[in-house]
Amino acid sequence: MLFHVRMDVHLPRDLPPEEAAEILAREKAYSQALQHSGKWRHIWRLAGEYANFSIFDVQDNAELHEILTGLPLFRFMKITVTPLLRHPSSIREDDS
């Protein structure tokens, strides 16, 4: 199943810089491992915001939930999930 996910990050201003750097390093490693596995198909930064649009290709809602709650930045995020379905007019065979 494909999902469009918007993630808005809100790091607390009083988060110690060392702790923030450690969390961000874990986040990068986690997200890149998911990208290499094919589960996190696309990620785009939103210009001017600490946010991204991503496309996930996972088995079901439960797997997506497990991935998202495993994000090191999860506790600092507002996440919006939209399930996607291949459009009948799409010419791309890999849209499903």
Side-chain angles (χ1 to χ4, degrees), residues 14-80:
D14 60 348
L15 187 65
E18 307 80 32
E19 185 178 344
E22 186 270 332
I23 293 169
L24 292 172
R26 286 190 295 120
E27 181 82 10
K28 183 175 183 176
Y30 182 75
S31 69
Q32 288 182 345
L34 287 164
Q35 289 174 67
H36 285 294
S37 77
K39 293 188 182 292
W40 197 325
R41 284 181 50 175
H42 301 281
I43 182 170
W44 295 275
R45 166 135 316 147
L46 303 182
E49 300 181 49
Y50 195 174
N52 73 72
F53 282 147
S54 293
I55 302 295
F56 287 85
D57 188 357
V58 293
Q59 193 71 23
D60 53 27
N61 295 336
E63 183 179 17
L64 180 65
H65 181 76
E66 182 179 326
I67 287 171
L68 295 177
T69 58
L71 290 165
L73 285 172
F74 178 75
R75 63 186 171 139
F76 304 117
M77 291 180 168
K78 177 182 182 247
I79 298 175
T80 306

